[in-house]
């Protein structure tokens, strides 16, 4: 009898719900089939500078290279909650220290900076190191690879929820894997990174890549590739 109840209840569970939608997974240099591809190795056409001019960063050998001095670039498209994938490689800048070494950033919604930095044997303040939510959350561990090696950020970002008056009722959250290692575990993001384009946390925003100016260094040739976003339904 007990077995019969088990079989009947399992059958009921097995019949519930629609089939999951099929997505062909990505891989090295390739996005999942349902992703919004923001850089596929060929064109920077999805990106502009803040003043709207076409991105002046260089596309070389399938890689998007920051051209220091041209300014940050941001996507033409805007996003709310999303899965975000970025690959990057910091240059070898042995003479530079701390924040001057391989600094860039991936800004979610144009306002929350996930720090990009060469944090391999390069100490700096914890909440300004690689994979920090800059100024707010240090990473749980330092999973950085040495400069000139490819690294990955995989993010699950949930946008802030707001009431009708534009007041935040639930803050934005971020989970981040750095090179496959959990470094941000569903942290609340409660304020914009200083210097970001200030907009209400309720609005969608672009992905922004930082051209970081530092008086000690002339050029920071940050390299990016395989950038894609999967918008999450609901927000
Ligand atoms: Mg930065």
């Amino acid at each position: 009898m007990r077995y019969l109840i088990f079989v009947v209840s399992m059958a009921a569970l097995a019949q519930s719900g629609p089939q999951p939608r099929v997505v062909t997974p990505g891989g090295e240099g390739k996005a999942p089939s349902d992703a919004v591809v923001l850089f596929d190795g060929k064109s920077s056409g999805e990106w502009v500078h803040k003043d709207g001019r076409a991105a002046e960063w260089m596309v070389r050998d399938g890689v998007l290279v920051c051209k220091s001095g041209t300014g940050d670039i941001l996507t033409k498209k805007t996003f709310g909650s999303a899965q975000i994938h970025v690959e990057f490689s910091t240059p070898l800048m042995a003479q530079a220290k701390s924040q001057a070494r391989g600094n860039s950033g991936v800004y979610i919604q144009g306002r929350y900076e996930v720090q990009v930095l060469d944090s391999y044997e390069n100490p700096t303040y914890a909440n300004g190191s690689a994979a920090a939510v800059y100024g707010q959350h240090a990473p749980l561990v330092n999973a950085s690879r040495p400069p000139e090696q490819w690294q990955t950020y995989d993010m699950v970002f949930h946008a802030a929820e707001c009431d009708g008056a534009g007041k935040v009722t639930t803050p934005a959250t971020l989970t981040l894997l750095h090179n496959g290692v959990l470094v941000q575990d569903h942290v609340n993001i409660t304020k914009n990174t200083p210097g970001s384009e200030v907009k209400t946390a309720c609005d969608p925003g672009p992905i922004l890549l930082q051209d970081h100016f530092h008086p000690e260094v002339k050029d920071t040739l940050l390299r990016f590739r395989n950038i894609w976003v999967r918008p999450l339904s609901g927000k």
Side-chain angles (χ1 to χ4, degrees):
M1 185 61 182
R2 191 181 293 169
Y3 176 73
L4 185 62
I5 292 169
F6 174 75
V7 169
V8 169
S9 60
M10 287 304 288
L13 280 174
Q15 289 168 6
S16 64
Q19 287 293 300
R21 188 166 50 84
V22 172
V23 174
T24 305
E28 194 167 314
K30 197 162 177 244
S33 59
D34 66 344
V36 178
V37 176
L38 298 174
F39 179 67
D40 63 358
K42 300 187 188 85
S43 164
S44 60
E46 291 286 336
W47 301 82
V48 292
H49 291 283
K50 284 178 184 167
D51 60 6
R53 74 189 193 281
E56 293 181 22
W57 290 22
M58 302 165 284
V59 179
R60 264 192 210 152
D61 302 325
V63 174
L64 183 61
V65 186
C66 175
K67 188 174 179 185
S68 294
T70 59
D72 304 336
I73 59 172
L74 55 152
T75 55
K76 296 174 185 172
K77 296 186 176 83
T78 59
F79 303 97
S81 299
Q83 177 185 353
I84 302 164
H85 176 88
V86 177
E87 298 178 19
F88 64 93
S89 169
T90 58
L92 180 62
M93 301 173 70
Q95 303 309 312
K97 303 279 188 244
S98 187
Q99 293 290 305
R101 185 183 290 184
N103 196 328
S104 181
V106 179
Y107 283 64
I108 305 168
Q109 296 193 317
R111 52 182 172 252
Y112 310 127
E113 182 183 12
V114 175
Q115 174 71 309
V116 171
L117 192 75
D118 176 4
S119 281
Y120 184 81
E121 299 180 350
N122 176 38
T124 187
Y125 46 95
N127 64 6
S129 58
V133 178
Y134 187 86
Q136 295 182 59
H137 298 287
L140 296 169
V141 294
N142 181 348
S144 294
R145 293 193 173 118
E148 299 190 319
Q149 293 191 20
W150 284 103
Q151 309 194 54
T152 56
Y153 281 163
D154 284 287
M155 310 181 195
V156 178
F157 172 74
H158 286 278
E161 293 178 18
C162 300
D163 64 16
K167 185 170 177 298
V168 174
T169 53
T170 307
T173 62
L174 177 70
T175 297
L176 170 62
L177 303 179
H178 182 192
N179 298 324
V181 177
L182 181 67
V183 289
Q184 300 288 352
D185 186 6
H186 200 68
V187 295
N188 288 343
I189 306 177
T190 54
K191 56 188 176 188
N192 291 357
T193 304
S196 61
E197 307 278 297
V198 177
K199 291 175 197 141
T200 165
C202 312
D203 291 339
I207 304 294
L208 181 150
L209 302 178
Q210 184 185 45
D211 173 11
H212 183 271
F213 170 78
H214 196 288
E216 290 175 22
V217 293
K218 187 164 171 282
D219 290 310
T220 300
L221 296 173
L222 237 301
R223 300 189 297 156
F224 293 90
R225 71 178 185 188
N226 197 24
I227 306 171
W228 50 262
V229 168
R230 295 183 64 247
L232 302 178
S233 58
K235 279 190 273 180

